[in-house]
Amino acid sequence: MIRPERGDRRGLPLRALAPNAVTAMALCFGLTGIRFAIASDWERAIAAIVIAAVLDGLDGRIARMLNGASRFGAELDSLSDVIAFGVSPAIILYLWSLQNLPQYGWLFALAHAVCCALRLARFNANIDVSDQPHKSAGFLTGVPAPAGAGLLLLPVYLWLWTGQPLFRETWFVAPWAALVAFLLVSSVATLSWTALRPRHGIRIGLLAGVAIVGSALIVAPWTTLSLAGIAYLIAIPFGIRNYAKVKRQRATARAT
């Protein structure tokens, strides 16, 4: 029997284990959110999704820092995102409000989970595509999965913050879920925070702002999450406008 040479051995390198472990933790926290929702512990259910989003933001950076990026990690990240930011928030919202809408409430929950899966499938299919106008201009196509989960749960944040029963009404929650599902699979250009390049003079101020937001999440989590969700919604039209400006500039450059 011919043994494979040392250079032909397949498998994950050791440096890829750390980012993949973080991705698996994000998956576990997403599923744990369902467990808390079944027990009607809404605060812990939301906290589990928030932690999953934080871990999802860290795994890619850890992979780049350790030079541990791999195709396996990319696929695992997408599968984790479908469950943590597609299935779990949909079930939480269903148990929290949509189950009170007979027959149709489950359809709105399914719409979010399916659209999240479709978005990630589109993302994976375009990984090796060189012609990506949004990406080359520093924008995302549609709302990313973690942001989509955050937007879907915005009524829960507002309800926990204000205590107003309005935010739990199915006639309010169901159309909101449909809107977020549309944004996930849309071709709307949204801002990509990783593409931002702040000037040297304001980087210290940004660090201070991040520290303040982190502290606010601990002191007043529902207020902070509500305001963050509203701010993200307000930023969507700006992303559309800025990308339209980039398209015009590119068209002018091609014409000349």
Side-chain angles (χ1 to χ4, degrees), residues 68-79:
S70 63
R71 187 74 184 198
F72 175 86
E75 297 296 335
L76 178 62
D77 184 70
S78 293
L79 292 173

Side-chain angles (χ1 to χ4, degrees), residues 10-102:
R10 297 183 180 273
L12 282 176
L14 186 62
R15 63 178 178 272
L17 292 180
N20 290 327
V22 174
T23 303
M25 288 175 61
L27 169 61
C28 291
F29 273 101
L31 289 173
T32 303
I34 299 176
R35 184 261 184 196
F36 286 126
I38 293 172
S40 298
D41 192 345
W42 308 116
E43 295 188 1
R44 291 187 180 182
I46 299 301
I49 301 299
V50 171
I51 295 173
V54 172
L55 293 173
D56 181 73
L58 290 176
D59 59 2
R61 287 164 177 77
I62 294 174
R64 288 188 290 271
M65 183 175 61
L66 298 178
N67 194 24
S70 63
R71 187 74 184 198
F72 175 86
E75 297 296 335
L76 178 62
D77 184 70
S78 293
L79 292 173
S80 173
D81 286 356
V82 169
I83 295 174
F85 308 123
V87 176
S88 296
I91 293 178
I92 291 172
L93 200 71
Y94 176 78
L95 294 174
W96 178 69
S97 172
L98 291 176
Q99 65 175 335
N100 298 319
L101 185 62

